[in-house]
Amino acid sequence: MSAASLNFASLLDGLKAAGEDTRLRLLALIGEGELTVSELTEILGQSQPRISRHLKLLAEAGLVERFREASWVFYRRATETPAAALTDALIELMAPDDDVLLRDRERLEAVRAARAAHAQDYFRAHAHEWDAIRRLHAPEEEVESAIKSILSGGWIGSLLDLGTGTGRILELFSGQMERGLGIDLSADMLAVARANLERAGVRNATVRQGDIYNLALPRDAFDVVIVHQVLHFLEDAPRALKEAARVLRPGGRLLVVDFDPHDLEFLRDEHAHRRLGFAPEIMESWLTQAGLVPQSHRLLSPENNGKSGEGRLTVSLWLARDPRIALADTPHKKEVA
């Protein structure tokens, strides 16, 4: 939808909401990425009640979107509202070298630096846990290459990464998708993901807190859903797969990346793994029960990393598809260079 297609009342409401200096500055800042009320208060040097009031008006006009993550409230530029195109147009019209916006952007960079430092502290504190597991299977580069290969074949309109963790999957597909969304239950991991995406310059992906069993997302919303190294932590993997299938569009694809069955009990004791891998027939049964059609199953052996013998992990990649036929008027997918 273009800004010109808004009805008169919606266009007028949007322009009224944006037509104030602080609110226009807020719109410019939120256009740079997701920010909390406290971060915006720090950047603009105004009181929290005042900033909250301005944000409320922008949200009511559909120019920004509000979402809660634990005790924090984030704001991001609108993408799903009728006025989202007006947000895009207003941000596009703002001169990037304007003195006011430059000063705001300098303070924004300071806030981002503090956020990144906090996220990195958390990551360093837990990195040894992830490193211990990564050493047991094929290199991450090989796993990522397999993921990209399986999902090759054109432009992805919308991608959902369940259990996004560090946000790496969103970064990996940022050049192949129109928009991406990462969901994670951990606020600490979301902080890491935001810092990583900002550092990589990824602007077409956002992350938010959510329950993998009960996604606050509409049915038929995503072309691709990825569940990467998540199911082995869950008590009820089939339920999570059914919820993932619910948000797939007709013809959409679900990719599950996890481990083949193994006997490394220390992963259960020390790393909170609920399941020690998944047999192919079990996973295919769950995918079928979720209403999907299994398409392929690929194994990445640890021998490819110069490892062999017991005490190693084989990575499994399952691809399934929603059997419903996409409507003929679905937007044509762009080719990826």
Side-chain angles (χ1 to χ4, degrees):
M1 175 181 292
S2 66
S5 67
L6 289 173
N7 63 48
F8 185 85
S10 296
L11 182 57
L12 187 60
D13 288 343
L15 291 172
K16 284 180 179 178
E20 193 273 343
D21 63 344
T22 296
R23 292 199 288 275
L24 199 57
R25 291 166 68 191
L26 285 169
L27 209 55
L29 287 166
I30 293 170
E32 296 285 335
E34 299 173 345
L35 293 164
T36 66
V37 177
S38 60
E39 288 171 337
L40 290 165
T41 298
E42 181 179 346
I43 293 168
L44 295 182
Q46 299 182 23
S47 69
Q48 185 161 325
R50 178 178 172 83
I51 293 296
S52 294
R53 172 62 180 165
H54 285 310
L55 289 169
K56 182 174 184 291
L57 292 173
L58 290 171
E60 288 175 346
L63 298 176
V64 302
E65 294 172 353
R66 176 187 187 276
F67 66 99
R68 180 173 291 278
E69 187 176 290
S71 60
W72 290 6
V73 175
F74 281 86
Y75 286 85
R76 61 169 172 261
R77 68 192 296 171
T79 57
E80 304 297 331
T81 68
L86 179 57
T87 299
D88 294 342
L90 290 171
I91 291 174
E92 183 68 23
L93 285 169
M94 297 182 202
D97 57 351
D98 179 87
D99 288 342
V100 172
L101 299 184
L102 283 175
R103 288 195 298 271
D104 287 347
R105 201 172 294 118
E106 287 174 0
R107 289 189 286 269
L108 169 62
E109 290 307 315
V111 166
R112 281 178 167 171
R115 178 197 289 178
H118 175 76
Q120 196 60 35
D121 287 344
Y122 176 82
F123 187 83
R124 278 195 297 267
H126 294 80
H128 67 283
E129 301 173 10
W130 300 313
D131 288 342
I133 297 173
R134 280 197 291 263
R135 285 194 295 268
L136 297 174
H137 61 71
E140 287 297 313
E141 295 81 2
E142 185 177 340
V143 177
E144 291 179 359
S145 177
I147 291 172
K148 291 278 284 186
S149 174
I150 290 170
L151 291 175
S152 64
W155 184 256
I156 298 172
S158 53
L159 183 147
L160 176 64
D161 181 26
L162 294 177
T164 194
T166 64
R168 175 57 185 164
I169 291 295
L170 294 173
E171 182 182 347
L172 189 66
F173 282 93
S174 61
Q176 190 180 333
M177 67 185 184
E178 180 177 344
R179 65 180 180 92
L181 173 64
I183 300 291
D184 207 290
L185 192 60
S186 167
D188 288 319
M189 286 311 305
L190 289 173
V192 172
R194 285 194 181 93
N196 287 343
L197 292 173
E198 287 176 356
R199 185 177 63 251
V202 176
R203 296 295 183 87
N204 59 344
T206 59
V207 297
R208 71 175 75 163
Q209 193 171 42
D211 181 356
I212 197 170
Y213 295 129
N214 185 23
L215 299 170
L217 297 169
R219 184 181 299 275
D220 302 346
F222 294 91
D223 298 304
V224 170
V225 177
I226 299 177
V227 188
H228 179 228
Q229 300 291 9
V230 173
L231 291 186
H232 57 250
F233 289 111
L234 303 182
E235 293 281 0
D236 194 348
R239 182 182 168 194
L241 291 174
K242 287 181 180 178
E243 183 67 351
R246 181 185 68 82
V247 301
L248 267 183
R249 287 176 176 159
R253 294 173 291 171
L254 171 66
L255 177 63
V256 177
V257 183
D258 219 288
F259 297 126
D260 211 41
H262 61 86
D263 58 1
L264 303 185
E265 286 288 344
F266 83 93
L267 293 178
R268 201 193 316 265
D269 299 333
E270 300 175 21
H271 298 280
H273 287 209
R274 298 290 185 181
R275 298 290 299 265
L276 299 183
F278 302 94
E281 60 272 18
I282 294 296
M283 183 62 68
E284 290 177 7
S285 173
W286 289 346
L287 292 170
T288 301
Q289 291 170 23
L292 304 177
V293 178
Q295 299 280 294
S296 66
H297 176 219
R298 180 174 176 180
L299 296 173
L300 294 180
S301 170
E303 280 79 7
N304 293 335
N305 196 24
K307 303 168 183 175
S308 60
E310 297 181 357
R312 300 300 183 189
L313 296 170
T314 297
V315 176
S316 276
L317 303 96
W318 292 271
L319 180 68
R321 186 179 290 274
D322 187 303
R324 296 172 297 166
I325 299 175
L327 296 177
D329 60 354
T330 299
H332 182 69
K333 294 180 180 179
K334 294 191 288 186
E335 292 299 322
V336 179

